[in-house]
Each structure stands twice: as structure tokens, then as C-alpha cells.
Amino acid sequence: MEARDILIRPLITERTTQLMAEGKYVFVVAKAANKIEIAKAVAEIFNVKVEKVNTVNVLGKTKRMGRTMGKRSDYKKAIVKLVAGESIEFFEA
């Protein structure tokens, strides 16, 4: 798996913007990716040093539209902590 296949997109919410102050960045990643692959992908794409990676498997919610039932997709998110002094400019702008 290539680095661009592992990181799908950044996850930007109110909570994740607060985590950025601590040097933590949140990404939606491929379900098959492990912590080592995620750390290498972030280091390769953004040229930063990764200290730690935490992953969470998020289950999609069941939603209703009248009588019909649907389900949002399941996904995996990674919380990547960078070494002190490092930052990703992509999120700063």
C-alpha cells in the first residue's frame, strides 16, 4: 500500500482543531492500515517526525428516512501525535 492510499482525508471538527494545539492531527485512514504504516505515510507525505499513533474503528450510525433504513459507512481514524516542535502546514492555513 502506498502512502497516498493509506491516508484518505484529514478529519476536521471542533474537537480535532483543539487537538492540533497539542500537536495531534486526525486522519481518516484505510481500514487495512496498521499504526506503523500510518506513521510512515504521515512522515513521508508531510515531512514530519511522528511520535505516536492511536487508531479507532468507528462504526457507522443507522439512519432512517421515513420507512427506509440506511447505514453510514464504517471507517477507521488515526490520531497522530508529532514530536514536539513539529507541525503540519496543511492544517495551519
Side-chain angles (χ1 to χ4, degrees), residues 82-87:
L82 302 181
V83 175
E86 295 275 345
S87 67

Side-chain angles (χ1 to χ4, degrees), residues 63-89:
K63 290 292 186 176
R64 243 179 98 138
M65 197 78 153
R67 271 194 254 175
T68 56
M69 296 286 285
K71 185 177 177 293
R72 289 185 182 167
S73 299
D74 300 338
Y75 63 95
K76 186 175 196 176
K77 73 178 175 183
I79 303 164
V80 179
K81 183 174 183 182
L82 302 181
V83 175
E86 295 275 345
S87 67
I88 298 176
E89 290 86 27

